[in-house]
Amino acid sequence: MTVEIANIVGSGDLGVELDLEALEDDLSTPYLEYDPSNYHGLYVRLEEGGPLITVYRSGKYIISGCPSEETLRETNDGFLRALAELGIVDEAQQTGFTVQNVVCTAMLDEMVSLDALSIGLGLEVTEYEPEQFPGLVYRPEGIGAVLLVFANGKLVITGAKDVETAEVAYNHLQSKVQELV
């Protein structure tokens, strides 16, 4: 099985301070929520059930819930377009928008003993406390990703900056599991 994207998160900075109450009033999108007594960010969805944009007074924003990098970029472009229509930013403004985290899922070829795997991979790069969390947390050295490994062979790969890094992490773990079997 290959690595599948579950969520991509990106962030940017508009470079301007925002009045979030006014922005909530001025934006016309299917979903807006601003409740500073609950959370200090404005939640925006450009389409029903679409990715979530969290906007902060500082002008920084985070986009989460994207199934692909293309959707992430399109959501960012749509958000900047909506703000440009309100005269808040120039649509072509550079926000330093970057991918922050790619979360992927995958399956190992077999079920695994997490106790044996934690010892085989090395206790210095693994955490396994089944009383607190049912999966093994593996932080392979030199790979910019963290793998959550479950006994049924399911994996969640997080912390990667791109899908290629997640794939490298998956292939690395798969080969380690093969060595240990």
Side-chain angles (χ1 to χ4, degrees), residues 13-177:
D13 188 346
L14 300 168
V16 295
E17 191 158 312
L18 301 169
D19 179 341
L20 297 181
E21 284 181 29
L23 187 57
E24 180 185 33
D25 291 340
D26 295 343
L27 274 175
S28 71
T29 65
Y31 177 82
L32 290 161
E33 181 185 332
Y34 181 58
D35 180 0
S37 66
N38 186 39
Y39 187 69
H40 60 277
L42 166 67
Y43 296 122
V44 178
R45 288 189 198 274
L46 300 178
E47 57 187 54
E48 196 70 42
L52 181 67
I53 305 166
T54 307
V55 187
Y56 300 96
R57 194 171 294 283
S58 65
K60 294 184 181 189
Y61 64 100
I62 299 168
I63 301 174
S64 60
C66 296
S68 68
E69 194 166 340
E70 180 182 351
T71 302
L72 180 68
R73 301 273 176 218
E74 289 170 356
T75 302
N76 184 55
D77 293 346
F79 177 59
L80 294 178
R81 209 170 18 261
L83 294 179
E85 288 170 7
L86 296 174
I88 295 172
V89 297
D90 178 342
E91 192 173 334
Q93 180 171 334
Q94 296 300 308
T95 64
F97 189 77
T98 57
V99 172
Q100 294 298 321
N101 186 14
V102 177
V103 180
C104 296
T105 59
M107 284 290 292
L108 292 171
D109 294 336
E110 59 212 71
M111 292 186 59
V112 290
S113 163
L114 298 181
D115 286 318
L117 187 61
S118 66
I119 294 166
L121 292 172
L123 298 175
E124 64 281 350
V125 292
T126 60
E127 293 173 34
Y128 181 51
E129 298 182 38
E131 313 81 34
Q132 294 182 9
F133 181 68
L136 177 140
V137 179
Y138 177 43
R139 292 181 171 84
E141 292 179 15
I143 299 175
V146 176
L147 297 101
L148 308 177
V149 185
F150 298 91
N152 63 1
K154 287 187 179 181
L155 302 175
V156 175
I157 305 162
T158 188
K161 295 287 186 188
D162 51 48
V163 176
E164 292 76 21
T165 301
E167 289 171 344
V168 166
Y170 168 75
N171 291 331
H172 169 79
L173 179 64
Q174 182 69 38
S175 68
K176 289 286 193 183
V177 168

